[in-house]
Amino acid sequence: DTGVSQNPRHKITKRGQNVTFRCDPISEHNRLYWYRQTLGQGPEFLTYFQNEAQLEKSRLLSDRFSAERPKGSFSTLEIQRTEQGDSAMYLCASSLALGLPGTDTQYFGPGTRLTVL
Amino acid sequence: AQSVTQLGSHVSVSEGALVLLRCNYSSSVPPYLFWYVQYPNQGLQLLLKYTSAATLVKGINGFEAEFKKSETSFHLTKPSAHMSDAAEYFCAVSVLDPSGNTPLVFGKGTRLSVIA
């Protein structure tokens, strides 16, 4: 079990540029979540996948944001035309959801810190 | 919709003293409750979780939490604080839907400082 990994760990970009983050979940986990965390706040849910299907998107996820999980393994989160308000820590988590009580514990990666200048 | 309120954005205790971090939840269906810890520049690590079994839940690093339905609370405690406990602590709630648990809803966090 190598845990959830995220790349890059840090990204600095200029306003208007596109950025893409990658998340590699724990290998047998079927669910993958994206959260955003700003300074002094708890993580806020963005979207999640069950295998390759994107099941839910938060209203926080504007049209500039898109996430994919093409083969039900790793996932990418892309932000187009970045704005300064997008500066945050983007966290990925994975879990093994069996539809049984107590089975869905989310394990978090270290996050990607985005700074938009 | 579920929600979590963490009372106190910053708690300071002396080394060896009791740690008490407060969490109240709101949910119209039976909740699943979690405490996570976040050290600087690191991801979130699960401390413990309540999944409708025992109401007193023991976690890692000597932490425990008690689910009290009548008070809609899930406070985190540790009998004796250690310097290494200094971190940000998040309470979170989810509920069970037909295909698994819903995404976590987090509180705003409580920063714990431990004074030598």
Side-chain angles (χ1 to χ4, degrees):
Chain A
D1 179 357
T2 58
V4 178
S5 62
Q6 293 187 245
N7 288 288
R9 294 291 307 275
H10 303 274
K11 179 70 176 179
I12 300 174
T13 191
K14 293 182 178 180
R15 187 176 53 186
Q17 298 295 305
N18 298 344
V19 294
T20 300
F21 310 140
R22 177 179 170 125
C23 171
D24 287 89
I26 294 172
S27 59
E28 68 270 22
H29 284 185
N30 56 356
R31 277 202 175 181
L32 188 149
Y33 302 79
W34 285 100
Y35 294 85
R36 182 174 69 185
Q37 184 178 21
T38 54
L39 199 61
Q41 301 293 320
E44 296 173 291
F45 166 71
L46 293 178
T47 187
Y48 83 98
F49 295 82
Q50 176 123 344
N51 301 311
E52 65 274 10
Q54 190 171 15
L55 294 190
E56 188 176 341
K57 293 192 287 187
S58 162
R59 58 180 173 78
L60 293 176
L61 212 66
S62 75
D63 291 344
R64 298 183 296 104
F65 288 70
S66 62
E68 294 182 344
R69 194 183 184 198
K71 297 182 179 179
S73 57
F74 73 92
S75 175
T76 58
L77 177 68
E78 181 183 16
I79 308 174
Q80 296 182 325
R81 305 180 303 281
T82 53
E83 301 173 355
Q84 288 184 325
D86 297 331
S87 295
M89 176 77 86
Y90 290 84
L91 296 168
C92 175
S94 71
S95 71
L96 180 61
L98 302 175
L100 300 173
T103 60
D104 193 346
T105 296
Q106 295 181 33
Y107 296 88
F108 283 79
T112 294
R113 182 170 296 283
L114 173 66
T115 301
V116 182
L117 302 176
Chain B
Q2 299 78 245
S3 68
V4 164
T5 302
Q6 291 185 242
L7 299 176
S9 59
H10 186 205
V11 170
S12 185
V13 300
S14 298
E15 190 174 21
L18 171 72
V19 176
L20 171 61
L21 304 182
R22 300 178 185 274
C23 173
N24 288 87
Y25 70 91
S26 173
S27 176
S28 59
V29 296
Y32 293 84
L33 294 160
F34 304 78
W35 276 99
Y36 282 85
V37 61
Q38 187 175 34
Y39 298 100
N41 300 316
Q42 295 187 27
L44 281 75
Q45 179 183 6
L46 180 68
L47 275 178
L48 49 80
K49 63 179 183 180
Y50 166 75
T51 59
S52 74
T55 56
L56 182 62
V57 182
K58 294 187 183 298
I60 62 172
N61 302 339
F63 285 93
E64 63 182 36
E66 186 172 8
F67 173 72
K68 292 187 177 181
K69 184 177 179 180
S70 61
E71 299 177 8
T72 61
S73 69
F74 190 57
H75 301 331
L76 182 71
T77 61
K78 182 174 180 177
S80 177
H82 192 272
M83 297 297 289
S84 61
D85 294 327
E88 188 89 19
Y89 292 80
F90 293 96
C91 183
V93 63
S94 75
V95 296
L96 192 66
D97 68 18
S99 58
N101 283 59
T102 58
L104 292 167
V105 176
F106 284 88
K108 292 188 175 183
T110 297
R111 179 169 299 279
L112 175 66
S113 297
V114 182
I115 303 167

